[in-house]
């Protein structure tokens, strides 16, 4: 007898509907799985056989052919254990097959018949409507994760027996319902607060501008000056995630298998800080079955690269395209996938190999050639893509001993949200724009017009600092954000002058 069960496979962060066709026919006992299965899918034959027997179901002593469609799509992972089990039970007439066409079945099966959670359930639930599916049958530990998507019936079960009972008597069960909007509204940010930072008024101001405009930022200063401490507090002054953004971020973490609490939306802006020994694929994503890398895990949040000059130059060059396009494309022979990567880059580095160039207390021991070679690790095109370049000085003794006096993150975030609201009002004719950092040349001509005095200031900076056209555009974007923070509609000379201050280490050696 033939039975067809629907499941899904993850390609990038998107779900593709997969048919699991099970044919129980005559012949010597044997299980054959076809349709480009990977090793984990092939091993499901033994897991399913043991699980069904230990759960009290009969396993047909006949030839069983399992076909995964479409046949040209690679299938991976234990996600197909449950649909294969259901297909065999339906083909051997142990469960009612009437509901099989209405649901997607996802889950790993243990040898005793219990259902174990799998990665990537949320993207499947989000795509269920487009896939023509009414609901999902998943392990109970995945149920809350899938139920945050509205208008999709989600049933979570612990054991194969419960799944069989549901298929035979569906009226006894009700779908799980969760109000994702309410859960997101009740969540509170628990990260470090900006009020804990002592001094560093200039760096704090740059951090606020970066949050208000989505600008990339680099801190340069000696060891112990507070660069990492400042960077860790950027997520706390960013606007809270909207429901749509939280769903995007949670989908990425679901695919990566990094959801710490199944069924809870990621409510805080992501903050990722890979080590400087990270490889290119770990940063941008990859693998034979492409998985999101650090830049995608930082989507809608912050990617912090500490000791930027310690990263390999070829690894840093991987960042150039995602910083411009907001996504990364991973190409393989059989497929290409696109991962979202709209993040704010925050980097930190020492001003020289010894770390004390320009320090007022400890002399630098590096030669000019050593400093030049040190900064040569960072290409000009990469530095051009960093809007704010900020020198962070060592704290004075009296600043170290005093109590912190700066504003807390909540106060700064209110100004950031007000500035972003002004930008969103300006972008009402450009719905794809989210922040000033995404402005293109045509937008600059429209919203960043300069008077004669401001133009003279900018032209002088271009000549003196040897700035590229891209860097000058970055200055205009930062100036636009400064004006938004001040509540000004037009750019003024002092907005441009302040923005230029954040390009003064362009040629630092």
């Amino acid at each position: 007898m033939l039975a067809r069960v629907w499941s899904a496979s993850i390609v990038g962060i998107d779900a593709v509907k997969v048919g699991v066709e099970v044919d129980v026919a005559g012949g010597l006992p044997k299980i054959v799985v076809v349709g480009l299965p990977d090793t984990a899918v092939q091993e499901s034959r033994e897991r399913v056989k043991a699980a069904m027997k230990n759960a009290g179901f009969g396993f047909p002593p006949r030839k069983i052919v399992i076909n995964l469609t479409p046949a040209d799509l690679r299938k991976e992972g234990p996600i197909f254990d449950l649909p294969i089990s259901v297909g065999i039970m339906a083909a051997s007439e142990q469960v009612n097959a009437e509901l099989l066409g209405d649901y997607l079945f996802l889950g790993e099966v243990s040898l005793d018949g219990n259902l174990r959670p799998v990665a990537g359930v949320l993207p499947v639930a989000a795509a269920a409507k487009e896939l023509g599916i009414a609901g999902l049958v998943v392990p109970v530990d995945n149920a809350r994760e899938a139920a945050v998507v509205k208008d999709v019936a989600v049933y979570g079960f612990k054991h194969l027996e419960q799944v069989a009972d549901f298929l035979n008597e569906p009226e006894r069960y009700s779908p799980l319902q969760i109000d994702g909007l309410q859960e997101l509204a009740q969540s509170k940010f628990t990260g470090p607060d900006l009020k804990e930072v002592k001094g560093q008024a200039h760096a704090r101001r740059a951090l606020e501008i970066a949050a208000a405009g989505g600008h990339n930022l680099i801190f340069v200063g000696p060891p112990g000056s507070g660069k990492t401490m400042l960077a860790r507090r950027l997520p706390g002054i960013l606007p809270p995630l909207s429901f749509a953004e939280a769903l995007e971020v949670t989908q990425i973490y679901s695919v990566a298998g990094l959801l710490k609490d199944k069924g809870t939306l990621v409510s805080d802006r992501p903050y990722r800080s890979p080590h400087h020994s990270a490889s290119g694929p770990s940063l941008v994503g990859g693998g034979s079955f492409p998985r999101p890398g650090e830049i995608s895990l930082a989507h809608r949040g912050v990617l912090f690269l500490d000791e930027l000059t310690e990263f390999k130059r070829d690894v840093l060059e991987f960042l150039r395209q995602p910083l411009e396009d907001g996504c990364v494309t991973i190409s393989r022979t059989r497929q290409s996938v696109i991962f979202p990567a709209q993040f704010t880059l925050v980097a930190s580095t020492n001003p020289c190999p010894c770390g004390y160039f320009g320090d007022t207390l400890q002399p630098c021991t590096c030669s000019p050639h050593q400093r030049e070679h040190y900064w040569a690790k960072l290409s000009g095109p990469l530095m051009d893509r960093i809007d704010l370049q900020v020198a962070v000085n060592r704290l004075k003794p009296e600043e170290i001993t005093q109590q912190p006096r700066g504003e807390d993150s909540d106060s700064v975030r209110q100004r950031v949200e007000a500035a972003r609201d002004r930008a969103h009002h300006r972008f009402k004719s450009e719905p794809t724009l989210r922040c000033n950092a995404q402005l293109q040349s045509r937008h600059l001509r429209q919203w960043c017009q300069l008077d004669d005095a401001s133009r003279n200031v900018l032209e002088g900076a271009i000549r003196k600092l040897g700035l590229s056209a891209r860097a000058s555009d970055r200055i205009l974007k930062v100036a636009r954000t400064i004006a938004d923070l001040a509540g000004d509609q037009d750019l003024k000379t002092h907005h441009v002058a302040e923005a230029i201050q954040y390009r003064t280490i362009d040629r630092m050696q």
Side-chain angles (χ1 to χ4, degrees), residues 85-314:
S85 301
V86 171
I88 294 176
M89 288 190 289
S92 58
E93 300 182 341
Q94 299 181 70
V95 297
N96 191 341
E98 292 182 2
L99 296 180
L100 296 185
D102 298 330
Y103 294 90
L104 288 181
F105 294 81
L106 314 167
E108 180 181 349
V109 177
S110 61
L111 298 185
D112 58 359
N114 286 316
L115 304 185
R116 303 184 62 188
V118 292
V121 170
L122 182 58
V124 177
K129 279 188 175 180
E130 298 178 7
L131 297 175
I133 295 297
L136 277 70
V137 176
V138 298
V140 66
D141 290 337
N142 285 127
R144 289 181 59 84
E145 175 186 345
V148 298
V149 179
K150 293 183 178 180
D151 303 324
V152 176
V154 176
Y155 296 87
F157 300 109
K158 293 183 178 180
H159 198 274
L160 272 179
E161 290 181 346
Q162 295 176 321
V163 177
D165 193 40
F166 166 72
L167 292 173
N168 292 326
E169 299 181 83
E171 64 278 358
R172 295 177 51 194
Y173 296 87
S174 299
L176 178 65
Q177 295 183 346
I178 291 178
D179 190 340
L181 280 171
Q182 183 178 1
E183 287 197 355
L184 186 63
Q186 293 175 347
S187 63
K188 294 183 179 180
F189 182 77
T190 57
D193 198 291
L194 197 59
K195 68 180 180 182
E196 300 163 356
V197 177
K198 298 179 180 180
Q200 305 296 5
H202 183 59
R204 290 170 59 100
R205 170 66 172 173
L207 211 61
E208 181 177 341
I209 295 171
H215 301 290
N216 301 319
L217 167 69
I218 183 172
F219 290 125
V220 181
S225 56
K227 304 184 293 294
T228 302
M229 185 179 187
L230 286 161
R232 288 175 177 168
R233 281 149 181 78
L234 179 56
I237 63 175
L238 290 171
L241 288 170
S242 66
F243 181 76
E245 290 176 332
L247 200 59
E248 282 182 40
V249 175
T250 309
Q251 283 183 229
I252 297 172
Y253 277 70
S254 175
V255 170
L258 296 177
L259 281 183
K260 296 180 180 179
D261 186 7
K262 297 289 185 182
T264 302
L265 287 170
V266 176
S267 57
D268 294 339
R269 296 272 177 181
Y271 177 87
R272 304 295 298 184
S273 179
H275 191 260
H276 59 74
S277 62
S279 64
S282 70
L283 201 62
V284 301
S288 56
F289 292 96
R291 286 289 181 266
E294 290 291 338
I295 63 174
S296 294
L297 295 172
H299 182 60
R300 304 295 184 199
V302 176
L303 177 69
F304 177 52
L305 301 183
D306 197 10
E307 302 299 340
L308 185 66
T309 51
E310 297 299 322
F311 284 80
K312 295 180 180 179
R313 179 171 177 142
D314 60 334

Side-chain angles (χ1 to χ4, degrees), residues 202 205 387-391 461 465 475 478 482 494-506:
H202 183 59
R205 170 66 172 173
D387 303 353
L388 301 165
Q389 304 171 356
V390 183
L465 298 177
I475 289 175
V478 173
I482 294 171
H494 63 275
H495 299 149
V496 177
E498 183 179 357
I500 292 172
Q501 293 182 35
Y502 301 114
R503 304 296 306 188
T504 53
I505 61 171
D506 262 311

Side-chain angles (χ1 to χ4, degrees), residues 293-481:
E294 290 291 338
I295 63 174
S296 294
L297 295 172
H299 182 60
R300 304 295 184 199
V302 176
L303 177 69
F304 177 52
L305 301 183
D306 197 10
E307 302 299 340
L308 185 66
T309 51
E310 297 299 322
F311 284 80
K312 295 180 180 179
R313 179 171 177 142
D314 60 334
V315 172
L316 293 178
E317 293 304 300
F318 281 120
L319 294 173
R320 288 167 56 176
Q321 180 256 337
L323 285 173
E324 285 293 318
D325 300 338
C327 63
V328 58
T329 302
I330 308 296
S331 297
R332 294 292 180 265
T333 303
R334 291 182 176 270
Q335 63 181 2
S336 293
V337 299
I338 298 177
F339 292 116
Q342 292 187 5
F343 58 90
T344 298
L345 173 64
V346 180
S348 71
T349 187
N350 295 329
C352 65
C354 77
Y356 296 102
F357 179 67
D359 188 51
T360 56
L361 297 180
Q362 188 161 339
C364 173
T365 60
C366 305
S367 67
H369 175 73
Q370 287 176 315
R371 291 194 293 269
E372 181 179 356
H373 180 72
Y374 180 78
W375 281 97
K377 297 178 183 179
L378 306 179
S379 67
L382 177 63
M383 293 300 290
D384 278 349
R385 287 169 169 80
I386 299 178
D387 303 353
L388 301 165
Q389 304 171 356
V390 183
V392 182
N393 298 319
R394 188 200 299 262
L395 290 177
K396 299 176 181 178
E398 58 271 21
E399 291 177 317
I400 295 175
T401 57
Q402 72 181 6
Q403 293 296 321
R405 299 177 182 177
E407 288 182 291
D408 59 16
S409 293
D410 288 339
S411 301
V412 177
R413 185 171 59 249
Q414 291 177 11
R415 291 199 299 271
V416 168
E417 291 178 356
R420 289 217 177 191
D421 287 342
R422 296 184 186 100
H424 291 161
H425 179 73
R426 187 167 58 248
F427 300 155
K428 58 185 177 181
S429 60
E430 297 279 353
T432 58
L433 294 178
R434 293 178 177 268
C435 55
N436 290 329
Q438 297 176 340
L439 295 176
Q440 304 297 320
S441 296
R442 57 189 177 88
H443 303 131
L444 297 178
R445 290 192 296 269
Q446 180 180 359
W447 295 318
C448 299
Q449 296 182 3
L450 301 176
D451 55 24
D452 291 340
S454 300
R455 186 175 295 105
N456 290 335
V457 170
L458 180 57
E459 289 175 355
I462 294 173
R463 293 191 190 96
K464 185 175 182 180
L465 298 177
L467 300 178
S468 66
R470 182 185 286 116
S472 64
D473 285 349
R474 302 276 174 185
I475 289 175
L476 292 178
K477 295 177 187 180
V478 173
R480 179 67 269 171
T481 300

